[in-house]
Every structure is written in structure tokens, then in C-alpha cells.
Amino acid sequence: MRPQRARKLSSVLTAAAAVLITGCAGAPTSSTTQPGTSPAANSAAQFPVTATSCGFSAEIAKAPSRAVTLNQGATEVVLALGVQGQLAGTAYLDDAVPDKWKDAYESVPVLSKEYPDKETLLAAQPDFLYASYASAFSDKVAGTRAELAKTGIATYLSPFGCEDKTTRAGASFESVWQEIDTVAAVFGVPEKAKEIRADQQATLDKLGAEKVGAGHSVFWYDSGDKTAFAGAGEGGPQLVVSAVGATNVFADLPGNWADVSWEQVVKADPEIIVLADASWSTAAEKRKLMESDPVLSKLAAVKEGRFVTVPFSESTPGVRLVDGATSLAEQIAKLGLS
């Protein structure tokens, strides 16, 4: 089960969410050490910072030392920044954490397989909570961000996961990097965000030059059986498909994902089928469904085994989205399409 079903996120995303980072003693996004100061002193000089998303602002007086991440996307941003030592716990994976962060992830206590209850969460004595989905800040989990602020616990919610659709960030690599910038400022490592941005931009430039997917159509199959929950034209799947130069057969549909009929899939007759792999809907399950269906099994892509598997966490706006594009490009190249 997803922490917040992508079906709830499938309406048109707007770019109304402003990600603000402000500081009273020098910009927190500075990546250089001031002359005559140590790195630690320079980091301290960047605080307090204010992190704003989804219409809520949190002031962070100092870098958290007992932060808790409540979704995989949030956890992996922190791991990518290399500040796992400032975590008191994590929760809720959709799929496996990649090998490059495996040791770092295993160094942090897992509070719960899914969301922890309030008692478990508070027992970790968090000083900062970071989540990818608004469902984390419900009464059944952490409580509202306003309530937590009153107890001295600062919070940050991904701009892509706002409950109010009008405040959600539009899906783009720039929006992803802005979120990473914000979290890096909160943890006192703004220079790491700049490194991630530069590395990922270089990868995207390379993929854009190669255009391995050019001239090929793709159906992004996220989940579903009676209907297909497909990657639509305004979310992570579209960004990944576009990054490799391929064409999303459902690019004309709004939102991150959209329900489509199997008749629509058959009519589109995609050359390549991308299977999102998640704990609640595995790639193997989806492939079996298509291969065993009397109609879907006749699609050329199914008959010829032109399947590509991408972890769900590499299809949502986050630090692994560029990894998803790289994986898609590599797997398309192996299909040997002319």
C-alpha cells in the first residue's frame, strides 16, 4: 500500500508551491566556507533557516540531530546528502533502497515498516520530521504540522505531496532540485545539494544527447488490473521518458498518473512497456497479467518481451528520478530496437 495513493495525486499539478529558504546570517545556500572560520562554524552561521512548502513555514534554529523521515523519498534525499548521522529513525519504504545508500540506510533505526504510531514516533525524540506525503501529518501518524510546531518539532513536507492540490509543485527536475536545496539548508549542508544538482544535470545532458529512446513509444504501467494506472503527461514518468527522448503514449493525459482502459492500451500499441516495481504492485505481477491475458498477450511488445522494469521510487519526483532515466535508457538500449 502506498502512503498516499498516487491516484490522489493524478490531477493537474500546479507550479504554485514556492520553496523558500531564508537565513538571517548569510544565505543558507552558500557552499563556501567563510575566511577564517571552520566548516562547522560556517554551517552554524547559516541558521536559523525557514523552510516553506504547501503553505506552511517552519523555522529551524539549528541543524537537526534527531530527525525522522517518514517516507522513502524523504529518506533517500537525506541519504543522498550524506547526513544519515543526523537521523533518529526512518519509516515506510515502497521498494528497496539502492546499493549506493544501503550501508547508510542500515545505520539508521527503522521505526516502522509503514507509518509509526504517535507513541513510537515520539519515543524517538525527533527534533525534525520530513515526509514526502501529506498523509504523514495526519492525526493517526505524526499529527498536523501546526500541532508539532507548538511542541517544538519542526517539519517539512515535500512540495510534491501537498494535500492542497493548488499548492503542489509542478513536476520538473528543477522542482526536485529545489526540494533538495531546502532539505540541505535545513541539515546545514547546502554544498551537497549543489553537487547533486551538478551531477544530475550532467547525466541529463548526456541522456539528452544520446536520445536512446528517440522514435520509440512507451506505456508506463504503474499498477492496476481492471484498468491500468498509467504514467501520464505531467509527472515523474513523463520526465523520465522525455529525458531519454522516447514518447509517452499517454502524454496527453493530465497529472502524474491516470486510469486508462485496456482498450486504450491496445489501441496505443506501445513499442515498450515500462513496469513500475513496488512492494504493493510488483513488476512480475504486472508482466504475468499482460502475458496471460488473451488480448494483451497479442500486443507486439508483450509477445516480443519488450518490458523494462523501473523501481517505483525512480518514477516519483525525487532524488532518484535521474537514476530512473539512466536505467530506462540502458534497458531500452539492450532491447536492440532499430
Side-chain angles (χ1 to χ4, degrees):
M1 181 182 71
R2 297 188 197 183
Q4 177 170 310
R5 289 292 296 168
R7 295 175 191 272
K8 296 181 181 179
L9 300 178
S10 62
S11 57
V12 180
L13 294 177
T14 61
V19 183
L20 306 177
I21 309 172
T22 58
C24 67
T29 54
S30 171
S31 63
T32 58
T33 302
Q34 298 298 319
T37 64
S38 67
N42 186 66
S43 176
Q46 296 166 357
F47 289 91
V49 299
T50 301
T52 300
S53 69
C54 306
F56 188 90
S57 295
E59 184 171 286
I60 294 88
K62 61 180 181 178
S65 60
R66 295 195 59 80
V68 172
T69 52
L70 292 168
N71 301 104
Q72 183 163 348
T75 298
E76 291 180 342
V77 169
V78 174
L79 298 179
L81 292 170
V83 290
Q84 61 274 4
Q86 292 167 246
L87 290 178
T90 67
Y92 221 138
L93 295 185
D94 294 306
D95 48 55
V97 172
D99 289 343
K100 61 183 175 181
W101 299 324
K102 185 177 179 181
D103 289 344
Y105 174 72
E106 291 179 349
S107 72
V108 183
V110 175
L111 302 185
S112 175
K113 182 178 179 180
E114 295 185 358
Y115 283 137
D117 57 35
K118 283 186 181 180
E119 182 178 356
T120 300
L121 183 58
L122 293 178
Q125 299 180 312
D127 54 7
F128 180 72
L129 299 179
Y130 172 28
S132 301
Y133 301 99
S135 51
F137 295 115
S138 67
D139 289 337
K140 293 182 179 180
V141 188
T144 69
R145 299 177 71 187
E147 290 169 346
L148 289 162
K150 290 179 181 178
T151 67
I153 301 175
T155 59
Y156 184 69
L157 173 61
S158 168
F160 301 106
C162 306
E163 186 171 19
D164 183 349
K165 298 173 184 177
T166 66
T167 63
R168 290 181 192 154
S172 69
F173 288 109
E174 179 59 36
S175 295
V176 168
W177 294 329
Q178 287 177 356
E179 176 176 347
I180 296 170
D181 287 344
T182 302
V183 178
V186 167
F187 280 88
V189 289
E191 69 287 346
K192 288 294 297 182
K194 290 189 175 184
E195 292 174 12
I196 291 170
R197 179 188 287 255
D199 288 345
Q200 293 195 347
Q201 183 63 68
T203 298
L204 290 174
D205 290 344
K206 182 175 181 292
L207 293 174
E210 295 172 346
K211 293 185 179 179
V212 172
H216 302 302
S217 60
V218 171
F219 160 47
W220 194 290
Y221 183 11
D222 178 272
S223 55
D225 48 18
K226 292 181 175 60
T227 59
F229 204 37
E234 298 177 345
Q238 181 62 49
L239 291 176
V240 171
V241 171
S242 295
V244 303
T247 300
N248 177 6
V249 296
F250 293 115
D252 60 331
L253 299 180
N256 277 357
W257 292 271
D259 277 305
V260 299
S261 68
W262 288 116
E263 288 77 12
Q264 287 174 284
V265 175
V266 171
K267 183 179 179 179
D269 193 19
E271 291 179 86
I272 301 165
I273 299 170
V274 176
L275 304 173
D277 196 24
S279 59
W280 33 264
S281 179
T282 68
E285 290 168 346
K286 289 187 280 284
R287 180 164 183 165
K288 181 179 180 180
L289 182 151
M290 298 194 79
E291 291 178 333
S292 61
D293 185 271
V295 176
L296 299 176
S297 61
K298 291 182 172 61
L299 285 170
V302 177
K303 288 193 294 185
E304 297 176 18
R306 296 198 296 267
F307 291 100
V308 167
T309 298
V310 175
F312 175 74
S313 51
E314 293 181 1
S315 71
T316 58
V319 73
R320 287 179 63 188
L321 201 59
V322 173
D323 291 343
T326 300
S327 177
L328 180 60
E330 292 173 346
Q331 292 181 72
I332 289 177
K334 291 179 180 179
L335 292 176
L337 299 172
S338 57

